[in-house]
Amino acid sequence: MNLSNDQKKAIRDLLAWFTSRQRTPYITLGGYAGTGKTTVVAKFRRELNKINKKIRVAFCSYTGKAARVLRETIAENDAASDNDSVSTIHSLIYSPIVNDSEVIIGWERQEEIKYDLIIVDEGSMVDQSIWTDLSSFGVPIIAVGDHGQLPPIRGDFNLMSKPMLKLNEIHRQARGNPIIKLSILARETGEIPVKRYSDNVYKIDKRADDARDEINDILNKYDENTMILCGYNFTRIKLNNHIRNYLGFESPTPEPGDRVICLRNNRLKDIYNGMLGTISQIEKVDDKWFYSEIELDGEDELFSGQILIDQFGAKSAINFTQDRAKSIDGDLFDFGYALTVHKAQGSQAERVILFEERFSKMTDDMWRKWLYTGITRAVRELIII
């Protein structure tokens, strides 16, 4: 394995931190897309085995889908150990509370975690309350994330705002990837010229004569591997309506088969803002609520419960009062065919359609982060409009 100089340095620094008697409770590793964060983590894990084969590492990520990707990349890099685990943060640090009928009615923080090290992937997704609980066990933590991305949409807590260790050098295997090239352009200049960069990566000008028909053709190739991103909620609503019409949904209200996105954390049900899923069952309870069952991407457990009717097609997430936020009446979901870039953090798709939309109050730095975050959601195909 050919490592870049900053990858080698990061591994040395992580080993020095972990083996130090004066180590800090945690350390953060930031890396741009293409710098090989996963490679560093895998190589670091193998180096730990050379020190002591009994070291137990808990790898974890924010969502089940991200945890599965993490498990696959660890296996591909031959970094797994029999002593390790790979899971969501939630399942690592919380235990279910069940009633007499064996139904989960809540979650409580575990008393201890029997691991020697926790490695958190997608560290920028971790909020203040989960970080507080994660840190309370006294187990050293390595938080890994992309410091080029947007900060969390709510609150001031941002674990990856100033990483203690940084990977800046794009690994040679990634240099030829057109998506990585555009991510660098976005991060450094905030401008992506209109042109074709490869068969699957290009930007079109919506003001061009034939752009309207071309954009319709692009949108009408929507499938389960597609993610549509934009800036304005107004655009998001229009795009959701367009895709639903194209797919043959006749009702303005959600139906079985509809793609949806969670808009509010609910620790009790282990669902989080930004989770995507597909409705398997839905029926109206009353004028305010649907009862729904939703298959969440990458999650083993089916979501079931009430979801607010008025949220579907609303311009923004509906704010409950402080008392209402504590209620268990139901949860907030909306159509999930098109997302704002903020909501897409932590997710990826084979095919991404990105509508460039800049808010008037956005600073140049925030715009670069927005564009970079949107571009780096794409795995194979990227179309910018």
Side-chain angles (χ1 to χ4, degrees):
M1 184 183 295
N2 296 318
L3 299 175
S4 64
N5 290 329
D6 60 354
Q7 284 179 315
K8 293 176 183 177
K9 182 179 185 304
I11 293 166
R12 289 196 301 269
D13 289 346
L14 287 173
L15 288 169
W17 166 80
F18 185 73
T19 56
S20 172
R21 293 182 179 180
Q22 289 82 36
R23 73 178 170 216
T24 53
Y26 71 94
I27 191 168
T28 52
L29 171 65
Y32 297 128
T35 56
K37 297 184 291 295
T38 303
T39 300
V40 167
V41 170
K43 180 66 175 175
F44 167 72
R45 179 64 190 96
R46 289 202 291 272
E47 291 298 314
L48 287 183
N49 260 338
K50 295 178 182 178
I51 297 171
N52 185 344
K53 289 186 178 296
K54 294 183 179 180
I55 291 174
R56 300 160 298 178
V57 178
F59 295 91
C60 58
S61 196
Y62 204 68
T63 66
K65 185 176 182 180
R68 287 186 180 182
V69 173
L70 180 60
R71 183 180 294 109
E72 290 169 2
T73 53
I74 290 168
E76 287 170 3
N77 285 275
D78 195 27
S81 169
D82 293 339
N83 298 323
D84 298 347
S85 69
V86 185
S87 68
T88 62
I89 299 172
H90 191 276
S91 61
L92 174 66
I93 66 176
Y94 302 116
S95 297
I97 303 170
V98 297
N99 60 18
D100 294 337
S101 301
E102 297 297 315
V103 175
I104 296 174
I105 58 173
W107 297 83
E108 61 183 354
R109 188 175 63 81
Q110 297 190 44
E111 292 185 5
E112 64 174 337
I113 293 179
K114 295 181 179 180
Y115 290 95
D116 305 300
L117 175 65
I118 297 170
I119 298 180
V120 181
D121 191 32
E122 296 284 358
S124 59
M125 300 292 294
V126 179
D127 62 27
Q128 178 72 73
S129 62
I130 287 184
W131 179 249
T132 299
D133 285 350
L134 195 60
S135 304
S136 68
F137 297 97
V139 177
I141 302 171
I142 298 173
V144 183
D146 188 334
H147 56 295
Q149 290 188 32
L150 286 166
I153 195 166
R154 290 187 178 89
D156 297 325
F157 183 78
N158 184 359
L159 188 58
M160 301 308 301
S161 62
K162 295 181 179 178
M164 300 171 191
L165 306 177
K166 292 182 181 180
L167 297 173
N168 296 308
E169 186 178 339
I170 305 299
H171 209 253
R172 63 180 180 83
Q173 287 94 331
R175 288 175 194 160
N177 185 325
I179 294 173
I180 296 297
K181 288 182 178 179
L182 291 200
S183 78
I184 297 170
L185 269 179
R187 180 163 48 82
E188 294 181 349
T189 71
E191 295 183 11
I192 306 297
V194 173
K195 61 180 286 190
R196 184 171 287 272
Y197 297 88
S198 73
D199 290 343
N200 293 326
V201 178
Y202 56 95
K203 179 177 177 178
I204 64 175
D205 187 344
K206 69 178 182 179
R207 296 165 296 187
D209 292 340
D210 58 349
R212 186 180 184 87
D213 290 338
E214 186 176 3
I215 292 169
N216 278 332
D217 288 343
I218 290 167
L219 291 175
N220 291 346
K221 291 178 183 176
Y222 177 90
D223 62 17
E224 61 186 8
N225 298 311
T226 300
M227 180 182 290
I228 305 173
L229 303 178
C230 58
Y232 299 125
N233 276 310
F234 174 76
T235 306
R236 176 183 60 82
I237 293 168
K238 285 179 63 177
L239 288 167
N240 276 327
N241 290 336
H242 177 96
I243 298 298
R244 292 190 77 246
N245 287 335
Y246 164 72
L247 293 175
F249 291 103
E250 297 180 355
S251 170
T253 57
E255 303 176 38
D258 257 319
R259 292 287 288 168
V260 291
I261 182 171
C262 176
L263 299 182
R264 185 180 65 152
N265 295 347
N266 184 340
R267 294 260 295 275
L268 179 66
K269 292 198 170 183
D270 192 17
I271 59 171
Y272 298 95
N273 194 347
M275 277 185 165
L276 293 164
T278 302
I279 293 176
S280 57
Q281 179 181 335
I282 190 165
E283 58 188 43
K284 193 172 182 179
V285 176
D286 53 34
D287 290 340
K288 290 185 177 180
W289 301 101
F290 292 118
Y291 170 80
S292 181
E293 294 182 356
I294 300 171
E295 298 175 1
L296 293 166
D297 295 356
E299 305 295 326
D300 295 326
E301 298 295 326
L302 189 74
F303 167 86
S304 61
Q306 295 191 152
I307 57 179
L308 191 69
I309 291 175
D310 289 346
Q311 183 60 70
F312 284 87
K315 292 181 180 179
S316 60
I318 294 172
N319 289 321
F320 290 151
T321 63
Q322 187 172 358
D323 288 339
R324 185 61 176 276
K326 295 177 182 176
S327 78
I328 56 171
D329 284 349
D331 294 286
L332 299 183
F333 281 81
D334 197 358
F335 295 117
Y337 301 99
L339 318 173
T340 62
V341 169
H342 272 98
K343 290 290 186 187
Q345 290 186 80
S347 298
Q348 284 188 313
E350 286 292 310
R351 179 175 185 255
V352 168
I353 304 166
L354 174 63
F355 286 81
E356 283 188 335
E357 293 184 323
R358 179 171 178 169
F359 299 104
S360 58
K361 295 182 180 179
M362 233 182 213
T363 64
D364 288 345
D365 180 62
M366 190 59 72
W367 167 248
R368 288 192 294 268
K369 288 180 180 294
W370 185 95
L371 191 56
Y372 173 83
T373 302
I375 286 170
T376 53
R377 300 312 88 205
V379 174
R380 186 183 59 85
E381 184 175 351
L382 172 67
I383 304 164
I384 303 175
I385 299 167

